[in-house]
Amino acid sequence: MTTPFPFTAVVGQDDLRLALLLNAVSPAVGGVLVRGEKGTAKSTAVRALSALMPTLDVVSGCRFSCDPGSPDPGCPDGPHEPGAFETRAARMVELPVGASEDRLVGALDIERALSEGVKAFEPGLLAAAHRGILYVDEVNLLHDHLVDLLLDAAAMGASYVEREGVSVRHAARFLLVGTMNPEEGELRPQLLDRFGLTVEVAASREPDQRVEVVRRRLAYDDDPAGFAARWAEEEAAVRARIVAARELLPSVRLGDGALRQIAATCAAFEVDGMRADIVMARTATALAAWAGRTDVLAEDVRQAALLALPHRRRRNPFDAPGLDEDKLDETLEEFGGSDDDDPDPDPGPDGPGGGGGQPEPDDAPEGDGDTAARPEAGESGQPQPSGAGEQSAARASEPFRTKVLSVPGIGEGAAGRRSRARTEHGRTTGARRPRGALTKLHLAATVQAAAPHQRARGRSGPGLVVRRDDLRQATREGREGNLVLFVVDASGSMAARQRMSAVKGAVLSLLLDAYQRRDKVGLVTFRGTAADLALPPTSSVDAAAARLETLPTGGRTPLAAGLLRAHDVLRVERLRDPARRPLVVLVTDGRATGGPEPVALAGRAARLFAADGVASVVVDCESGPVRLGLAGQLAGELGGTAVTLDELRADSIAGLVKDVQRRAA
C-alpha cells in the first residue's frame, strides 16, 4: 500500500488545510471545492486528509458501512443483528471522471442473474463512500449524467437505484471533495452550490517557501515511509484535535447575534437560496469547536463567509469568484454587538478567542484568483499591431439569452447538451450486436436472443445458458458537446465603439450558451495583415471571454487569413479529437480588404469549409440604412446561414437551425 504524503507536511495552503479540517470536524458542512492552477498540492492534501479521519465502527459484513449503533433499517444487506461490528479507517473513494453510471450507483449483478437466475444488487462507489470521503479529481470534467446522480445523493443522503428490474435504496452520506483547474472549464451552478466551502489555491511566489516545498517533496519521493515517520507526531496531534473538536461540537452555542450577522452577510452579498446561511452557520460552529471554544465569535462568522460565499455569488461563468472584504467587514460591524447573547465584543479578525488555525485576512482567496482568465502575450495573446488607426478595446454590452445552434446529423462526440449524438448515457433507442468490447448490455435483447436456444443447449437449471453471440449492445441517443470556434472580425470596418460593443455582447452571449451546453470553444481574430489564434480550443469559456474583452480593433480586413487560420485549427483539432464535431461562428460584416483579390480569396477559403461539411453560422454585423449583403454571400460560400445581430436576440433564430440542416442535407 502506498504511503500518503503527510497532511501536516503540506507547505502553506492554509485556507485549503483549514477547509478540509473543518469538514473532518463537521461533515455536515458539506464538502470542499478546491480551485487552482496545476501543481498546487490540491490532490496531495485531499488524499492526505483520509489518514487523519477518525476510525469507524461498522456492522460486520455490511457492504454499505452501516453504523452498528443505528443501522439503516432499509439497508439492502439488512436487517442487522445487534452486536457484531468491526472497526476500520474511514474510506476515501475516488470517482474517476470517465466512470460509468453503473460504477457510481451500482447495478444488477449480471453474472448472477444470468448464471443463477438470482436478482442481486452489486453496490457502486456511492455505497463504498458512505460515512467516508468521495473525492472527484477534475470534477469540472465530470459527465452531466454523473453530476445529476451526485446531486441527488448529496441532497437526500441516500442513493436510489431503479433500473433493469432492480429497486434499491441505501444510505449515502459522504464528505464530497472536488478539485479542478479553472482553465479546463467551470462547474454547473447546481453542483457548485452543493459544495459547502470553496478554496482558491495558487503556488507561492516566495522563494523560501518554494524551496521548502521542493525539499520536502524530494525527501518524500526518496523514502515515503521514513518521511511519514518523521511527521507521525504532528499527524497524531492533528488527529487527536479533530476527535476533541468533534466531541466539543454539540456543546458549541450559536447565539442570536452570530445568526444575525450570518443572515445579514448572505443578504448583503445577494446569494441565492438559504443554503449559504446554513453552511455558514455550520462552518462557524466548526471553527469554534476547532479552536476549542463553545461560543461562536464574529471572527468565526467572518472566516466562514470567506470560505462559504465566494462560489455562491457567481451569476455567470464570466464572474470571478471572491468577496469584497471591506463590504464584509462593514456588514459584520453593522450587525454585530447589538445582542446581549453575542459573546464577542470585538468583531475584528484579531478579537478574543483566536482562530485556532484560521489564516489572516490577507491570506484569504482573492476575487480574481483564476489566473487562467488573464490574457497572456505571445502567439495566443494579444493580436498583432496593425499600425495607424488602431483603437483600444471596447467594452462588451450586456449578454443575452440565445436559442440553441446545433450541428445537423447525429454525432458520437463527448457528452454535452448541444447536438444529437449516439452516447453511452442517453435514452435507450435499441440494441445491436457489439462491435468490439461490450460496454453496455441490453439485458432484454440479450435474453430474447438466448431464449429460443435453451432446449438445444441442454438447459436443466434455473440459470439461462448464454453464449457470446447472444449478447446485445444497447444503443443510446443523447446530446453531445461540440467545438464552437468563433472567428471574429476586429478590423477597422468593425471599429465603431457602439458597434463593436454590440458584437462583443453577442459573442459573450454565445459563449455563455456554450458554457451551459458543455462545449469546447476557440477564438480566432483577424485584422491588419494577419489572423491570430487568440485562444486555442479549450473548455474554459471564461478564458475566451477574457481574450474577447481585451480585443482591440483597427486596420484592414484580412478575411481570407481569418478563415484559413480557422480551417487549420479545425484540421489539428480533428486529429486530436475526431469525434467532436465543429460549429464555426463567423462574426463579420463580410467586407474583405488588403492584398490582391481579397474577396475572391475569401470565397475560396470559405468553400473549404463547405467541402469538409463543417456547420457554420455567419453573424452579420453590417449596420446602417444601406447594406451590401456581403455576409449573406459569404454564408452561401460556407454552406451555412447568416443571421443579423438583431435576429440573434429574436425568436426568429429558431428557424436558423432548420436552415443549417436544410443546407447540409
Side-chain angles (χ1 to χ4, degrees):
M1 180 178 179
T2 304
T3 303
F5 191 91
F7 186 85
T8 51
V10 175
V11 179
Q13 307 296 10
D14 292 338
D15 284 348
L16 169 58
R17 292 189 294 163
L18 177 61
L20 291 172
L21 289 170
L22 292 177
N23 276 273
V25 171
S26 176
V29 166
V32 186
L33 174 64
V34 187
R35 296 166 42 95
E37 58 198 29
K38 50 189 175 292
T40 50
K42 300 187 298 294
S43 299
T44 298
V46 174
R47 293 189 174 100
L49 176 68
S50 61
L52 299 179
M53 298 291 286
T55 57
L56 300 173
D57 291 336
V58 299
V59 174
S60 298
C62 178
R63 298 174 296 168
F64 301 87
S65 303
C66 278
D67 184 350
S70 57
D72 181 7
C75 176
D77 284 354
H80 298 298
E81 296 294 331
F85 71 93
E86 59 189 54
T87 301
R88 62 165 174 78
R91 292 173 179 158
M92 191 190 76
V93 177
E94 292 198 41
L95 172 60
V97 169
S100 67
E101 184 176 336
D102 291 348
R103 187 72 187 96
L104 179 62
V105 300
L108 178 69
D109 189 330
I110 299 296
E111 181 179 353
R112 294 189 63 189
L114 295 180
S115 62
E116 304 175 23
V118 175
K119 186 188 296 184
F121 178 69
E122 184 176 0
L125 295 178
L126 290 180
H130 179 49
R131 303 176 67 200
I133 302 171
L134 181 61
Y135 172 47
V136 190
D137 193 15
E138 306 294 349
V139 64
N140 51 324
L141 303 182
L142 197 64
H143 290 307
D144 279 355
H145 70 289
L146 297 182
V147 170
D148 293 335
L149 294 170
L150 271 182
L151 289 177
D152 290 341
M156 297 181 291
S159 175
Y160 292 84
V161 184
E162 301 283 350
R163 52 190 305 177
E164 297 168 341
V166 173
S167 179
V168 172
R169 175 260 177 213
H170 65 82
R173 293 183 296 275
F174 45 81
L175 168 57
L176 180 61
V177 181
T179 56
M180 60 175 283
N181 184 344
E183 294 179 4
E184 298 174 334
E186 288 292 344
L187 277 177
R188 285 172 52 189
Q190 296 94 327
L191 183 57
L192 193 64
D193 188 52
R194 292 294 182 186
F195 286 97
L197 309 180
T198 185
V199 176
E200 295 280 337
V201 296
S204 172
R205 299 299 184 257
E206 294 293 331
D208 291 343
Q209 196 172 71
R210 296 175 74 95
V211 166
E212 186 60 23
V213 170
V214 175
R215 182 181 291 118
R216 294 186 186 183
R217 186 69 210 190
L218 293 178
Y220 170 77
D221 290 341
D222 289 342
D223 182 11
F227 183 82
R230 291 195 293 273
W231 289 88
E233 186 175 345
E234 289 84 350
E235 292 281 285
V238 173
R239 190 180 299 110
R241 188 175 175 183
I242 292 173
V243 173
R246 282 191 171 190
E247 294 175 351
L248 182 62
L249 187 64
S251 303
V252 175
R253 188 173 66 97
L254 183 64
D256 289 343
L259 275 173
R260 187 158 41 248
Q261 286 183 318
I262 290 171
T265 301
C266 293
F269 286 100
E270 300 179 347
V271 295
D272 295 331
M274 295 298 297
R275 183 173 283 118
D277 304 63
I278 297 171
V279 170
M280 273 190 65
R282 289 172 174 165
T283 305
T285 303
L287 281 163
W290 178 247
R293 290 185 270 102
T294 57
D295 288 314
V296 173
L297 306 182
E299 64 193 71
D300 299 323
V301 176
R302 185 183 195 279
Q303 183 66 56
L306 293 173
L307 293 172
L309 296 188
H311 60 302
R312 292 185 165 88
R313 295 192 60 247
R314 303 189 74 184
R315 293 295 182 266
N316 61 64
F318 313 134
D319 294 337
L323 288 183
D324 182 341
E325 295 194 32
D326 291 336
K327 181 178 179 180
L328 173 60
D329 291 334
E330 290 173 4
T331 303
L332 293 177
E333 183 176 358
E334 179 182 354
F335 289 90
S338 60
D339 182 51
D340 293 339
D341 291 335
D342 190 344
D344 181 26
D346 180 6
D350 299 318
Q358 297 114 298
E360 295 297 322
D362 289 341
D363 293 330
E366 296 293 336
D368 59 348
D370 183 2
T371 57
R374 299 172 188 163
E376 301 173 355
E379 180 182 352
S380 299
Q382 301 293 339
Q384 300 175 1
S386 58
E390 179 176 317
Q391 299 188 17
S392 60
R395 294 189 64 85
S397 62
E398 283 295 317
F400 52 87
R401 182 172 296 277
T402 68
K403 296 289 182 66
V404 61
L405 308 177
S406 64
V407 178
I410 301 179
E412 295 182 345
R417 294 185 167 189
R418 183 171 296 277
S419 304
R420 293 175 61 197
R422 287 180 289 270
T423 67
E424 290 292 323
H425 310 291
R427 61 185 179 87
T428 301
T429 58
R432 59 172 174 80
R433 292 181 181 272
R435 295 190 290 267
L438 178 69
T439 58
K440 187 63 180 177
L441 179 72
H442 194 297
L443 183 59
T446 298
V447 171
Q448 186 176 8
H453 309 290
Q454 295 306 293
R455 179 175 296 180
R457 294 173 183 175
R459 172 185 169 183
S460 58
L464 195 67
V465 181
V466 179
R467 295 179 179 173
R468 174 70 185 179
D469 290 343
D470 300 327
L471 299 179
R472 294 295 183 268
Q473 173 83 33
T475 57
R476 297 186 169 190
E477 182 176 312
R479 293 279 172 177
E480 67 177 359
N482 298 110
L483 168 59
V484 182
L485 183 61
F486 294 92
V487 186
V488 180
D489 184 350
S491 64
S493 64
M494 302 280 288
R497 288 258 171 194
Q498 187 174 2
R499 184 178 178 189
M500 199 60 194
S501 177
V503 168
K504 287 187 176 182
V507 177
L508 280 177
S509 303
L510 293 168
L511 280 171
L512 181 58
D513 181 68
Y515 161 74
Q516 294 168 340
R517 301 187 185 282
R518 313 301 285 174
D519 295 315
K520 290 181 69 173
V521 297
L523 179 63
V524 172
T525 64
F526 57 95
R527 68 187 186 96
T529 59
D532 178 64
L533 179 58
L535 184 72
T538 175
S539 296
S540 180
V541 296
D542 51 345
R547 299 293 195 273
L548 183 71
E549 183 179 354
T550 58
L551 177 66
T553 57
R556 294 182 179 274
T557 311
L559 177 57
L563 291 171
L564 291 173
R565 187 61 185 273
H567 188 268
D568 187 57
V569 170
L570 294 184
R571 179 184 60 80
V572 173
E573 281 301 304
R574 195 176 293 116
L575 296 175
R576 291 175 177 169
D577 190 358
R580 190 180 291 268
R581 297 185 296 163
L583 172 65
V584 174
V585 179
L586 176 59
V587 184
T588 181
D589 57 8
R591 290 181 173 85
T593 60
E597 300 183 343
V599 177
L601 187 59
R604 288 197 293 271
R607 287 191 288 275
L608 293 175
F609 292 86
D612 291 342
V614 175
S616 60
V617 174
V618 178
V619 179
D620 185 0
C621 301
E622 192 174 26
S623 59
V626 179
R627 304 195 180 203
L628 302 178
L630 298 177
Q633 298 175 23
L634 183 61
E637 300 279 9
L638 286 165
T641 190
V643 57
T644 66
L645 286 174
D646 292 336
E647 291 170 339
L648 199 59
R649 293 175 174 270
D651 291 339
S652 58
I653 196 173
L656 181 60
V657 177
K658 297 178 181 178
D659 194 19
V660 171
Q661 294 171 337
R662 186 180 66 252
R663 289 173 179 268

